[in-house]
Amino acid sequence: MPDLIRPLAYVALRLPSDSLLVLEVVPNTTISIGKYGSFQANHIIGRPFHLTFEILDKTDASTKSSLRIVPAAELYADIVEDGDTSSLDLEDGRTVDNQDGVEYEVVGQDGEVVLRTNQNIIDDSGTQSMTMDEIEALKIEGTGSGKGLIAKILESHNGLDQKTAFALAKYTLRKARKYMKRFTVLPLDVSTLTKWILLEKEPMKIMELREEMIALIGSWANIHYAAPDCTAQDHEGLGKHGAGRWLMIDETGGLLVAAVAERMGLLDTLEATDQESDVKGPSSNWPESLQEKGCSESGDAQGRLHTTVQQRAGHQKSKALSNVNTITLIHANAQPNLSLLRYFNFDASNPASLHPMQQHLKTLSWLQLLTPEDDNGYAEPEAVSDGILQNWKSGKRGNYYRKRRRWERIKSIVDETRDGGFDGMIIASVMNLTTILHHAVPLLRGGAQVVIYSATVEPLVELSDYYSTARRTAFVTSLPDFQSLPTDDFPVNPTLLLAPTIQTVRCKSWQVLPGRTHPHMTGRGGSEGYLFTATRVSPAEGKIEARGKFKRRKTAGRDDTMMAESQKVNTDTAI
């Protein structure tokens, strides 16, 4: 993750209302953040992340707003002041405890709260003497980046002296979130992107995945970076295992792919950005039209800039595919849906990209996996001799080499995937999970983890029944023909997966205050989301039988008892 804000990079802005705004930092443009104002993108390029900026009001000398870095001492001034004193005694005998910000009228000898003064406070619209028209007029005038407006609102409040310390701090914070013109620049990672889509965009596009669920998926799938030399062939000699090769079926727009790549260290574009700097050049080498023309809200400057960069980098030859730390994505369309990867500066349609994902992400369709001979891309183009190629025009010769490279890439990915030996599999799809596992589970090595996400629990319950102990016992007893699978009783081979488990997780935010500890009531709902986890095993071939001679072992105590009973029987017989 880079430490500085780079041009043409996506960042997240945390606004005073605690909402997120994801945008691309395009040089020489104006960034608008709604009611909080606007600023120039060049003012934040090259600065560190996690800084809080304040939008200053426009002056007569400048027609554009400027920014001010808010120091940490100013940000946390209220917290420092509250920590200086522990309690405050008032003239009327009441006590204010600054540890929790609650004002008490009567406190017992043992510290028990008898009566709180904030229970009789009624905060209605009549306590505020300022009208909305007056507030809007002050907002247009621009007074101290919102601080002056907040001060006047507090001053015009008629019941401010009746509020407790906690109620006053809560009221001030609410006004600050509404009128303060501040924002914090955060680096865009998978967790931040997930929060933004869930709260501000369309959660259904990512199957309502939450950040805690993504973390649980990565843990159960054992996603990690594998050393390049830690590879070996499996017991059948097909495919490498231990090399960090994961199989994925992702229908969340590429969010799960980004999460796996982040754990494997493939989203770090620092090296790629440094390499692209030679192609792009500094800002002084950009086209003069982009330097002279500043902001373009329509996005024309942004499009021209991307086109120029791609044209300069188009002559570079794409690197060979990697054999370790790879992500193999199986999709059902002509092209995979990886639209969310653009927020991490990866373009799947640009083969000249220098992003690390270009060599570690491999995509193929279900048609190429199951019946590759029916796919036109898998068929080898007609080979042409060098003598004939020299007589062709440059355009025709370039098309020939491009088709050959595309065929070599497709054939390499398809053959490697069909050989199997993957270290794990992650599925997030609305397709029939039974048909997916029937073809995908045999591609995993022994000990590989299978993790399946579903927004509802019903498909996973059905899947758990197919891999249950009872169904596996019936399958081993009857031992049907493997070529006849799937059948009505056995849609999948139940002996390939062990320990099927269904689980879920949800992290809730709580308000933690003495006497007022409870979960926040404004949390979003939506689907709960569930995970199916299991372990791939290699069952023994043939029918299992128990053989050998078994003798019942006798303990010493049992032998003595039997001997005593035998002696008693002999004595009775003699008498």
Side-chain angles (χ1 to χ4, degrees):
M1 190 68 66
D3 297 330
L4 303 178
I5 303 173
R6 298 176 177 271
L8 301 180
Y10 282 89
V11 298
L13 302 183
R14 185 173 61 200
L15 304 179
S17 59
D18 283 342
S19 60
L20 295 175
L21 177 63
V22 176
L23 49 86
E24 186 179 12
V25 183
V26 181
N28 301 329
T29 60
T30 300
I31 298 177
S32 176
I33 53 176
K35 65 179 182 180
Y36 299 105
S38 59
F39 60 93
Q40 298 298 311
N42 295 344
H43 292 170
I44 63 173
I45 293 178
R47 296 186 181 275
F49 284 103
H50 304 286
L51 288 180
T52 300
F53 297 89
E54 186 175 89
I55 302 177
L56 301 179
D57 300 326
K58 299 179 182 179
T59 60
D60 298 336
S62 176
T63 58
K64 298 180 181 178
S65 301
S66 57
L67 298 180
R68 181 181 73 91
I69 299 178
V70 182
E74 182 179 346
L75 286 174
Y76 305 105
D78 297 338
I79 299 178
V80 175
E81 292 176 358
D82 292 343
D84 293 339
T85 58
S86 58
S87 62
L88 178 63
D89 295 333
L90 300 182
E91 296 180 356
D92 56 357
R94 293 176 296 174
T95 300
V96 177
D97 187 0
N98 286 338
Q99 298 295 332
D100 57 0
V102 179
E103 183 179 342
Y104 308 122
E105 284 187 349
V106 181
V107 179
Q109 295 181 357
D110 55 351
E112 181 183 0
V113 178
V114 180
L115 182 64
R116 301 172 184 266
T117 60
N118 59 353
Q119 64 180 354
N120 297 323
I121 297 177
I122 300 177
D123 195 1
D124 55 7
S125 58
T127 58
Q128 179 58 252
S129 59
M130 291 185 63
T131 63
M132 287 302 300
D133 296 336
E134 295 175 350
I135 295 177
E136 292 296 332
L138 291 175
K139 289 172 59 177
I140 295 176
E141 292 178 3
T143 55
S145 300
K147 291 182 288 186
L149 176 59
I150 296 174
K152 291 185 178 181
I153 292 177
L154 295 178
E155 183 181 356
S156 60
H157 197 285
N158 298 328
L160 199 64
D161 55 343
Q162 302 176 3
K163 291 183 177 292
T164 63
F166 175 76
L168 178 60
K170 190 174 181 180
Y171 180 79
T172 306
L173 179 61
R174 186 166 65 248
K175 297 305 177 184
R177 289 181 175 180
K178 188 174 182 180
Y179 298 112
M180 285 296 289
K181 299 180 180 180
R182 290 179 179 178
F183 64 91
T184 304
V185 185
L186 304 175
L188 185 62
D189 52 9
V190 176
S191 177
T192 305
L193 181 62
T194 304
K195 290 180 182 178
W196 178 61
I197 296 177
L198 284 177
L199 301 177
E200 308 295 338
K201 292 296 181 179
E202 301 179 8
M204 293 302 299
K205 290 187 176 180
I206 59 172
M207 300 179 64
E208 300 191 61
L209 265 173
R210 301 184 301 275
E211 54 178 335
E212 60 268 21
M213 187 65 71
I214 293 178
L216 189 63
I217 291 174
S219 299
W220 274 106
N222 193 23
I223 305 298
H224 63 279
Y225 175 82
D229 54 347
C230 296
T231 60
Q233 296 290 332
D234 59 3
H235 65 283
E236 298 179 355
L238 298 177
K240 294 182 178 181
H241 64 82
R245 300 172 60 243
W246 275 270
L247 187 66
M248 296 190 64
I249 295 95
D250 182 13
E251 295 184 6
T252 62
L255 183 64
L256 270 182
V257 173
V260 173
E262 186 179 47
R263 279 179 169 257
M264 299 172 65
L266 301 179
L267 281 188
D268 188 3
T269 59
L270 183 59
E271 179 181 357
T273 306
D274 294 339
Q275 295 176 1
E276 288 180 355
S277 61
D278 299 335
V279 179
K280 298 179 182 179
S283 58
S284 60
N285 295 332
W286 290 344
E288 296 181 357
S289 58
L290 294 181
Q291 298 181 22
E292 296 175 357
K293 296 181 180 180
C295 136
S296 176
E297 285 77 3
S298 62
D300 296 338
Q302 175 183 351
R304 292 195 301 269
L305 182 57
H306 280 292
T307 304
T308 306
V309 172
Q310 292 178 3
Q311 289 176 355
R312 295 184 182 182
H315 67 279
Q316 297 184 359
K317 185 178 180 180
S318 59
K319 297 181 180 179
L321 294 174
S322 176
N323 294 325
V324 295
N325 297 313
T326 59
I327 302 173
T328 302
L329 177 65
I330 305 177
H331 56 89
N333 303 317
Q335 296 293 333
N337 181 13
L338 299 174
S339 58
L340 295 181
L341 290 183
R342 77 177 190 273
Y343 293 107
F344 305 99
N345 297 327
F346 175 72
D347 186 6
S349 61
N350 182 17
S353 174
L354 299 177
H355 199 282
M357 292 277 288
Q358 192 64 40
Q359 288 75 44
H360 295 269
L361 178 61
K362 306 176 181 181
T363 61
L364 73 159
S365 63
W366 283 105
L367 177 63
Q368 294 172 343
L369 176 65
L370 302 180
T371 56
E373 61 277 0
D374 295 338
D375 183 68
N376 297 329
Y378 190 79
E380 181 179 4
E382 182 181 358
V384 180
S385 60
D386 295 339
I388 299 177
L389 285 175
Q390 293 178 359
N391 297 329
W392 284 1
K393 295 182 179 180
S394 60
K396 186 176 181 180
R397 187 165 55 249
N399 291 335
Y400 171 77
Y401 285 123
R402 185 162 51 253
K403 291 181 180 179
R404 295 290 299 185
R405 287 194 300 268
R406 180 175 178 270
W407 167 76
E408 292 174 357
R409 181 184 178 90
I410 293 177
K411 181 175 175 58
S412 174
I413 294 175
V414 172
D415 293 344
E416 179 184 347
T417 305
R418 290 171 64 89
D419 288 343
F422 289 94
D423 296 326
M425 179 173 61
I426 301 176
I427 300 175
S429 174
V430 296
M431 296 174 58
N432 190 350
L433 298 177
T434 305
T435 58
I436 294 178
L437 293 184
H438 174 68
H439 299 286
V441 170
L443 302 178
L444 306 178
R445 65 171 178 87
Q449 295 295 320
V450 177
V451 181
I452 304 175
Y453 169 80
S454 177
T456 56
V457 72
E458 287 77 13
L460 303 184
V461 172
E462 180 181 3
L463 202 61
S464 180
D465 175 65
Y466 291 151
Y467 288 101
S468 62
T469 303
R471 197 175 293 265
R472 183 166 55 252
T473 302
F475 182 85
V476 173
T477 304
S478 60
L479 198 63
D481 185 11
F482 291 94
Q483 301 297 331
S484 62
L485 294 179
T487 62
D488 295 338
D489 295 333
F490 304 105
V492 293
N493 187 350
T495 62
L496 297 182
L497 293 182
L498 285 183
T501 306
I502 299 177
Q503 55 189 302
T504 184
V505 62
R506 179 185 284 270
C507 295
K508 299 180 180 179
S509 58
W510 285 62
Q511 172 184 290
V512 182
L513 289 172
R516 298 184 300 277
T517 299
H518 59 79
H520 287 162
M521 302 304 176
T522 57
R524 66 174 303 275
S527 301
E528 183 70 18
Y530 298 88
L531 281 187
F532 172 90
T533 60
T535 304
R536 168 76 160 95
V537 294
S538 299
E541 298 181 357
K543 194 172 183 179
I544 301 176
E545 297 180 357
R547 297 182 180 181
K549 298 180 179 180
F550 301 94
K551 295 178 65 177
R552 179 178 297 178
R553 299 181 60 183
K554 298 180 180 179
T555 60
R558 185 178 180 183
D559 293 343
D560 296 341
T561 303
M562 293 180 64
M563 185 177 296
E565 293 178 355
S566 178
Q567 292 177 358
K568 183 178 180 181
V569 171
N570 294 337
T571 303
D572 295 342
T573 304
I575 293 175

